[in-house]
């Protein structure tokens, strides 16, 4: 303590002898590294990673301020744990690979990762597609690691590809590695693949979003609390996995074909969203005694009646209800939607 006071006194004397000395050092010089690093983390959580390829992200700009900030940013592995890829053109693939490799390297060896891979709706492969296929394989292998070593660090994964995407089979391989730390999984667009996809089976999955996918089976759903499913082919719905998700707090089902959920009790389910076709057997065997929010977007009055008559739903507890599509109701009599 005496040394600190002595140093402080010496600094004060120097300030008196040279009044301009205080202006030669910025506030940044007096802030501890830990506080600056914490400030960077606020930027990380507040910023969206959407950016034009080739331009620095908000996190990347930290490296450009000064050498001190550069060193502090590189030692905080959290700042580099978000990898968001949006391929608009196959000519960008090599650049995306460099971006992903840099993020993974800077995130260290144990930091959990949030990974997003999306493709533009009009993405196509030119005539020399063999070379672009090889480049895309390298990109996907970078995200998972050659033997899946990087996929073991995934915390959340979002894969959204256009129907007909030429690399769908390769991306399905990306999802085949073990993911012991995965908490959120969102997959969309896997129809044009050579066979059904087998998703990872993480033990602690909390959020599951599957949209228009050909699936061999669902992942382990016993710990899932939020589930969102959409399909136009009911054969790829794993109703057994839906029944096993006993911890669900919210459930959204979007299907235009007849389906029937297996008997199941959802004591924690607070929000239910049904869109499309709700037949007489669709939800008749489920129980959600604590439901608070209900959204129904169905095409006929029979669907509404089937929900109302479901014995496992106590609609008296509802705090919020959204019924029907206004634009559809405007074009027909309201009795068509509300009559029993």
């Amino acid at each position: 303590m005496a040394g600190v006071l002595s140093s402080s006194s010496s600094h004060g004397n120097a300030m008196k002898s040279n009044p301009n000395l205080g202006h030669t050092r910025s506030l940044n010089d007096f802030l501890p590294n830990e506080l600056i690093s914490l400030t960077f983390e606020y930027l990380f959580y507040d910023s969206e990673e959407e950016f034009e390829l080739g331009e620095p992200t908000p996190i990347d700009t930290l490296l450009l301020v000064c050498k001190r900030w550069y060193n502090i940013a590189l030692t905080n592995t959290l700042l580099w744990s978000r990898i968001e890829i949006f391929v608009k053109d196959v000519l960008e693939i090599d650049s995306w690979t460099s971006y992903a490799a840099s993020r993974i390297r800077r995130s260290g060896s144990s930091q959990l990762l949030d990974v997003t891979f999306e493709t533009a709706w009009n993405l196509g492969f030119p005539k020399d597609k063999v070379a672009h296929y090889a480049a895309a394989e390298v990109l996907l292998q970078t995200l998972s690691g050659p033997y899946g070593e990087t996929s073991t660090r995934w915390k959340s994964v979002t894969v959204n590809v256009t129907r007909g995407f030429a690399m769908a089979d390769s991306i399905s391989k990306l999802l085949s590695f073990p993911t012991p730390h995965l908490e959120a999984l969102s997959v969309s667009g896997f129809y044009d693949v050579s066979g059904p996809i087998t998703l990872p089976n993480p033990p602690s999955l909390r959020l599951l979003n599957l949209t228009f996918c050909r699936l061999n089976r669902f992942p382990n759903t016993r710990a899932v609390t939020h589930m969102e499913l959409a399909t136009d082919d009911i054969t790829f719905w794993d109703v057994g996995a839906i029944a096993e998700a006993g911890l669900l707090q919210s459930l959204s089902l979007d299907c235009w074909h007849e389906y029937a959920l297996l008997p199941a009790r959802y004591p924690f389910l607070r929000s239910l969203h049904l869109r499309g076709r709700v037949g007489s057997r669709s939800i008749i065997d489920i129980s959600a005694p604590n439901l608070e929010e209900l959204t129904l977007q169905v095409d006929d009055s029979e669907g509404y009646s089937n929900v109302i008559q479901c014995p496992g739903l106590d609609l008296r507890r509802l705090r919020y209800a959204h019924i029907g599509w206004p634009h559809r109701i405007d074009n027909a009599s309201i009795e068509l939607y509300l009559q029993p």
Side-chain angles (χ1 to χ4, degrees), residues 6-25:
S6 176
S7 175
S8 176
S9 176
S10 299
H11 178 71
N13 293 333
M15 289 281 289
K16 292 179 181 179
S17 61
N18 185 358
N20 293 323
L21 182 60
H23 301 289
T24 62
R25 302 183 65 186

Side-chain angles (χ1 to χ4, degrees), residues 223-273:
V224 172
T225 56
H226 299 82
M227 182 183 295
E228 185 172 344
L229 307 175
T231 187
D232 54 10
D233 189 342
I234 194 62
T235 60
F236 295 108
W237 263 16
D238 187 347
V239 291
I242 301 175
E244 290 178 351
L247 298 181
L248 279 179
Q249 298 175 20
S250 67
L251 174 63
S252 175
L253 303 177
D254 185 338
C255 183
W256 296 91
H257 296 271
E258 190 78 25
Y259 64 91
L261 299 183
L262 296 179
R265 189 173 188 274
Y266 303 103
F268 307 104
L269 190 67
R270 299 291 187 270
S271 175
L272 178 64
H273 185 159

Side-chain angles (χ1 to χ4, degrees), residues 172-322:
S172 67
K173 296 178 184 177
L174 171 74
L175 298 173
S176 65
F177 292 109
T179 53
H181 300 290
L182 192 64
E183 297 180 3
L185 176 63
S186 179
V187 182
S188 176
F190 281 88
Y191 259 82
D192 299 289
V193 292
S194 58
I197 300 169
T198 298
L199 294 177
N201 205 33
S204 302
L205 191 65
R206 299 288 186 270
L207 185 150
L208 179 63
N209 185 333
L210 303 175
T211 305
F212 302 117
C213 300
R214 295 181 62 197
L215 300 175
N216 186 28
R217 62 171 174 78
F218 281 15
N220 183 351
T221 59
R222 289 183 176 86
V224 172
T225 56
H226 299 82
M227 182 183 295
E228 185 172 344
L229 307 175
T231 187
D232 54 10
D233 189 342
I234 194 62
T235 60
F236 295 108
W237 263 16
D238 187 347
V239 291
I242 301 175
E244 290 178 351
L247 298 181
L248 279 179
Q249 298 175 20
S250 67
L251 174 63
S252 175
L253 303 177
D254 185 338
C255 183
W256 296 91
H257 296 271
E258 190 78 25
Y259 64 91
L261 299 183
L262 296 179
R265 189 173 188 274
Y266 303 103
F268 307 104
L269 190 67
R270 299 291 187 270
S271 175
L272 178 64
H273 185 159
L274 301 175
R275 183 177 186 269
R277 171 73 175 154
V278 181
S280 59
R281 304 301 305 174
S282 293
I283 62 171
I284 194 69
D285 292 324
I286 71 168
S287 172
N290 297 308
L291 192 68
E292 296 179 353
E293 298 181 6
L294 176 65
T295 299
L296 298 179
Q297 295 175 311
V298 299
D299 250 353
D300 54 60
S301 59
E302 180 184 352
Y304 295 106
S305 179
N306 291 333
V307 174
I308 293 173
Q309 295 176 12
C310 178
L313 302 182
D314 186 356
L315 302 184
R316 295 171 299 178
R317 296 179 56 90
L318 290 181
R319 296 184 178 182
Y320 169 86
H322 175 75

